Amino acid sequence: MSSSEIREAFLAFFEKNGHQRVDSSPLVPGNDPTLLFTNAGMVQFKECFLGTEKRSYVRAASSQRCVRAGGKHNDLENVGYTARHHTFFEMLGNFSFGDYFKREAIRFAWDFLTKELGLPEDKLWVTVHKDDKESEEIWFNEMGIDQTRFSRLGDKDNFWSMGDTGPCGPCSEIFYDHGESVAGGPPGSPDEDGDRYIEIWNLVFMQFNRSKEGEMTPLPKPSVDTGMGLERIAAVMQHVHSNYEIDLFANLIRFIANVLGVKDHSNQSLRVIADHIRSCSFLILDGVLPGNEGRSYVLRRIIRRAIRHGNKLGATTDFFYKLVEGLVREMGEAYPDLKKRQTYIEDALQKEEQQFARTLEQGMKILEQDIAQLSGTEIGGETLFKLYDTYGFPLDLTADIARERNLTIDEDGFNQHMQVQKEKSKQANQFGTDYNDSVELDIDTEFLGYGQAEAQGIVKEIIVD
Ligand code: ATP
Ligand code: MG
Ligand code: MG
Ligand code: MG
């Protein structure tokens, strides 16, 4: 089954079961200043779960475009290193707003996987929250799941929240066993981080709303929110292990390899670039442009990271913007706006590319010199800051290079330099514009070590047209 066929089979199955088909919402959440990007299918339905918005339906299904490159769910640093993470992906989901609850949610998921898609039960592994006896009984007594492929886990794995605040609840997850040839243990085991057992579907039983103070109040009606990564289920259906080998990525990677003249299609940098062209194109389509603050800076960081990987593969001229065409070929049918806005997206990318190309080479030279002279294994704060400030290297880009060479970065040192710079510009700007008037975003303070000040992203440049 192709990715498009799976998407359609999912939506048709839930439609047949009384769900309203709902279009994907944009990546910039219209209703939520606390959220950096739409990171799950439930985001557009947040108010329905809270009971503050009523719709004409109580069951919905969607294929939601998501970006996880900042905030509570951040997978940027996983890209290129795991078989299953993207910055941009599509999440298939079915939702119940105070209608059905655990029993039906589990039944729908199990039937879709084992009957519609015909997956063998003995390849599927199930987890529940350790205190959720109700779900456990449904799995054992009604689905007949085998005890040997079942784990009870704690909050870290089986309690889902959209962000620090908002709807949340215990969840039950379904994993696919890709077989002995891949390293990794079952969920909950010490070697669960391997890629053998891949999480495909999360069924969240929405029961609470978490306030800023961390207080949990029960939702007016228990609800259901599920999410299954389209690329992950496509990998299962297409008998490949990595998401990067599914139809869509194989074609996109072929296109990119052609543009860059690279022979080995399993090259890690090609995968990173293929991932990044998707997130960058869709972010631009949804109104974000590269810049220095908040969402715009996240986009800039992803673009620059992709350009650096292209450079590593030998690209000497602009290439990234040319990849939009390959993406349109793969996704233009499902997303007609992508095709319509192709030139706009290309122009925005090329502009950023030209700007960064001027300093990338010089910056790399500085970094190489610094690494050559390194006595330990840590790149110092001063170098990190110089690269950031003079050559436009976002910190995570330098961290990416460091990681490839088994080096670390002195994040604290970087933050100190940053702080000094901030103080200086504050003094110089005493009578200038105060950007702090703008909305503050909840950008992950842990994200590869941006300091407190950097983490307080400020939306300054969101252009929606
Ligand atoms: P993982 O543990 O693999 O990082 P997750 O627990 O963070 O996944 P959820 O928040 O439960 O993921 O999201 C629901 C589903 O969305 C997952 O079961 C998976 O199929 C898919 N998914 C999550 N993150 C990604 C990603 N970065 N790239 C592709 N698919 C993803
Ligand atoms: Mg995750
Ligand atoms: Mg998980
Ligand atoms: Mg999960």
Side-chain angles (χ1 to χ4, degrees):
M1 267 175 120
S2 69
S3 305
S4 306
E5 283 165 352
I6 297 169
R7 189 194 294 115
E8 181 51 34
F10 180 91
L11 295 171
F13 173 83
F14 282 98
E15 207 166 31
K16 194 173 73 193
N17 284 293
H19 293 67
Q20 171 78 39
R21 221 186 245 247
V22 179
D23 281 345
S24 169
S25 63
L27 288 170
V28 176
N31 57 352
D32 201 336
T34 67
L35 197 62
L36 188 58
F37 298 119
T38 299
N39 58 12
M42 57 73 65
V43 170
Q44 66 166 320
F45 302 117
K46 188 179 158 190
E47 308 291 327
C48 302
F49 290 119
L50 297 176
T52 47
E53 184 188 336
K54 289 267 173 296
R55 302 209 180 181
S56 58
Y57 46 84
V58 287
R59 297 178 176 199
S62 65
S63 174
Q64 175 66 50
R65 52 185 185 273
C66 295
V67 165
R68 292 192 174 183
K72 183 171 171 55
H73 297 275
N74 183 1
D75 288 323
L76 183 57
E77 61 197 282
N78 287 325
V79 172
Y81 290 94
T82 74
R84 68 184 197 278
H85 288 108
H86 307 294
T87 52
F88 172 96
F89 64 100
E90 285 181 85
M91 196 186 282
L92 303 168
N94 57 289
F95 308 91
S96 152
F97 312 120
D99 186 44
Y100 62 82
F101 201 41
K102 296 179 183 177
R103 169 162 291 110
E104 295 84 345
I106 292 174
R107 168 57 66 196
F108 283 141
W110 196 242
D111 281 355
F112 181 72
L113 294 176
T114 59
K115 295 194 179 134
E116 284 292 311
L117 299 186
L119 295 178
E121 292 185 15
D122 63 3
K123 289 276 194 185
L124 300 170
W125 193 290
V126 170
T127 69
V128 295
H129 191 273
K130 60 181 174 31
D131 302 330
D132 187 1
K133 296 289 170 244
E134 192 186 345
S135 297
E136 187 172 322
E137 272 162 31
I138 297 170
W139 278 114
F140 288 139
N141 302 337
E142 299 178 33
M143 307 307 130
I145 180 96
D146 200 302
Q147 302 257 5
T148 57
R149 298 191 312 278
F150 193 84
S151 320
R152 302 163 183 88
L153 304 174
D155 287 352
K156 185 176 81 61
D157 293 283
N158 284 61
F159 193 93
W160 198 88
S161 339
M162 175 193 85
D164 294 330
T165 62
C168 53
C171 62
S172 179
E173 297 194 316
I174 305 172
F175 288 67
Y176 184 81
D177 177 3
H178 279 266
E180 277 167 14
S181 60
V182 193
S189 70
D191 52 345
E192 66 174 356
D193 283 340
D195 269 336
R196 173 171 169 181
Y197 294 85
I198 290 196
E199 176 189 326
I200 50 174
W201 204 343
N202 187 355
L203 317 177
V204 185
F205 309 121
M206 290 291 191
Q207 278 171 286
F208 308 101
N209 182 25
R210 188 167 15 214
S211 72
K212 246 200 243 146
E213 293 72 37
E215 202 186 331
M216 310 258 268
T217 34
L219 292 177
K221 285 181 185 166
S223 297
V224 170
D225 149 37
T226 87
M228 171 159 66
L230 174 63
E231 299 78 2
R232 293 192 191 183
I233 187 66
V236 170
M237 294 307 291
Q238 295 173 15
H239 310 290
V240 292
H241 170 241
S242 164
N243 284 6
Y244 291 92
E245 294 167 76
I246 65 170
D247 51 352
L248 188 154
F249 270 105
N251 295 338
L252 186 55
I253 286 174
R254 193 174 314 118
F255 185 93
I256 300 170
N258 233 337
V259 170
L260 290 173
V262 176
K263 295 247 155 40
D264 172 17
H265 288 196
S266 65
N267 182 291
Q268 184 183 314
S269 289
L270 276 183
R271 293 182 171 191
V272 174
I273 295 167
D275 173 84
H276 290 5
I277 190 63
R278 296 213 308 164
S279 48
C280 294
S281 298
F282 276 97
L283 283 171
I284 294 170
L285 180 68
D286 281 345
V288 185
L289 282 173
N292 283 331
E293 321 251 7
R295 291 173 177 131
S296 297
Y297 192 54
V298 176
L299 173 60
R300 168 161 288 169
R301 293 201 315 243
I302 310 176
I303 298 175
R304 294 192 171 186
R305 222 170 150 123
I307 296 170
R308 207 274 301 177
H309 278 279
N311 190 264
K312 209 177 139 195
L313 290 175
T316 47
T317 55
D318 303 348
F319 75 96
F320 198 49
Y321 79 97
K322 292 182 189 157
L323 309 181
V324 182
E325 191 187 325
L327 180 67
V328 167
R329 282 191 205 168
E330 291 310 308
M331 298 191 72
E333 205 178 300
Y335 294 94
D337 284 348
L338 189 69
K339 199 173 163 62
K340 268 191 235 150
R341 306 282 281 159
Q342 181 177 340
T343 318
Y344 172 78
I345 298 168
E346 285 168 348
D347 289 349
L349 288 177
Q350 194 180 14
K351 206 168 133 217
E352 178 71 9
E353 212 168 348
Q354 285 168 344
Q355 200 177 328
F356 187 50
R358 278 186 242 130
T359 55
L360 172 66
E361 208 174 314
Q362 285 163 288
M364 281 307 290
K365 260 190 215 142
I366 300 282
L367 182 58
E368 294 296 354
Q369 276 164 14
D370 187 85
I371 290 175
Q373 286 162 12
L374 223 55
S375 52
T377 56
E378 184 175 75
I379 301 174
E382 200 178 327
T383 305
L384 296 172
F385 187 72
K386 197 199 299 168
L387 288 170
Y388 165 85
D389 197 42
T390 314
Y391 300 99
F393 280 42
L395 187 62
D396 67 279
L397 186 145
T398 313
D400 195 35
I401 303 170
R403 185 173 171 183
E404 286 167 7
R405 309 192 183 187
N406 293 320
L407 299 172
T408 55
I409 59 167
D410 175 14
E411 205 179 294
D412 290 342
F414 172 82
N415 288 334
Q416 278 160 19
H417 281 89
M418 191 71 157
Q419 209 48 47
V420 173
Q421 160 111 338
K422 287 242 148 107
E423 291 300 323
K424 273 193 207 150
S425 65
K426 218 192 263 167
Q427 281 161 14
N429 264 335
Q430 272 194 62
F431 306 103
T433 336
D434 184 5
Y435 290 125
N436 294 318
D437 290 344
S438 323
V439 191
E440 280 193 358
L441 278 175
D442 169 35
I443 297 184
D444 193 356
T445 40
E446 283 167 23
F447 175 69
L448 279 177
Y450 278 85
Q452 215 44 32
E454 237 348 66
Q456 301 295 325
I458 292 161
V459 188
K460 204 178 82 182
E461 196 179 5
I462 295 177
I463 297 161
V464 185
D465 66 331

